[in-house]
Amino acid sequence: STLSIIQNQLIRYVSLVLLVTGTIGNVLNCFVFTRRWLRDNSCSLYFFATSIANLIGLYCAFISRVLITFNIYTTPSQSAVYCKTRTFFTYMPLSASTWFVVAACADRFASSSSSVRMRSFSQTKVSRRVICGIVVIVCLVWAEMFVCFNGNPSGTTCAPATPFCNTFNNFNLLISYSLLPPIFMFILGWMTIRHVRHRQIHRQSSSKNRQLTILLIVQVLCVTFLSLPFSVQRIYLQFTINQMKSSQRIEIENFLGTVATLIILSNTTMSFYMFTLTSQVFRKELKPLLFFSSRRRADVEPTLSTTGTAK
């Protein structure tokens, strides 16, 4: 049908665009957040981990979708293993990236506290432990993919194997990926604002912390708004799971589900471009990476000047 053709073209070309822009954006994010000015900050570590997780999820999510639009499938003997592995390495890193943002919100909440003990949690050594803990927990949560998902013998589909698995997976997506993390982000952000307003500040926050807070707010807004359609679609499917549906209604639901999935997967590509638009400091750190000659002049000129003075 016409709707199926549109859906196929949408998956193909939107996935290709997001794959290219997401690769460029996340790679540059990794370089920016490992620069000397940012790499020793606990919040920057969460941004760096988010970019790495987004890169993994980006390729696992989009490459298979693009190949399917060209009728390229796995062989029947590899279908089950490929389905389980690809699904796990799609949702595990994407879920981890949203929880890294939640951890960054908790880091800003701790750093704004009047309690010395609370502020001690805003350290790079704590961030490293939290990142490792999130990875372990998310891997355990999404291990159900190896049990609940299966591909058909022809290798054309990858879906939950039973109705129970389908229901469990829907709730898992809502709790650990699309709905619960934005709620935690909102709560922690609100508590951070209360901290800043109600405690006496004896010294101004550093420019670095203010800029990182701006980047975090932008990231939270992107995650929240882009996750909303997917959450609504999953809740709708769960409430209508026992209804008799016509083929036309199923086709429309599949199309809207594809749109919602592409929207939430665009989370993996948006952060770099939003950071560039909203943060002057991020742009300042990005320029030496894009214009190598400028960075070289900045490094060489002081040396030449010192040498000339010595002579």
Side-chain angles (χ1 to χ4, degrees), residues 28-73:
L28 289 175
N29 272 348
C30 291
F31 282 118
V32 169
F33 290 118
T34 51
R35 288 179 63 80
R36 183 180 301 176
W37 191 79
L38 291 170
R39 66 189 175 200
D40 294 329
N41 186 280
S42 55
C43 193
S44 296
L45 286 179
Y46 292 121
F47 285 131
F48 177 77
T50 300
S51 299
I52 295 295
N54 283 339
L55 272 174
I56 298 172
L58 185 73
Y59 278 87
C60 292
F62 286 128
I63 287 181
S64 60
R65 283 175 166 81
V66 173
L67 292 177
I68 288 174
T69 63
F70 290 100
N71 295 321
I72 301 175
Y73 303 101

Side-chain angles (χ1 to χ4, degrees), residues 126-137:
V126 175
S127 298
R128 294 189 186 99
R129 293 171 186 169
V130 171
I131 289 169
C132 293
I134 288 174
V135 171
V136 171
I137 293 171

Side-chain angles (χ1 to χ4, degrees), residues 28 31-32 35-38 272 280-299:
L28 289 175
F31 282 118
V32 169
R35 288 179 63 80
R36 183 180 301 176
W37 191 79
L38 291 170
F272 167 78
Q280 183 179 358
V281 172
F282 187 87
R283 293 194 297 270
K284 181 180 177 182
E285 293 297 316
L286 179 65
K287 283 179 182 179
L289 297 173
L290 299 178
F291 305 104
F292 298 101
S293 58
S294 299
R295 182 175 62 180
R296 187 176 179 181
R297 282 199 301 272
D299 293 338

Side-chain angles (χ1 to χ4, degrees), residues 140-157:
L140 293 175
V141 168
W142 290 103
E144 56 97 1
M145 295 289 186
F146 292 102
V147 177
C148 280
F149 269 70
N150 208 356
N152 64 354
S154 61
T156 57
T157 62

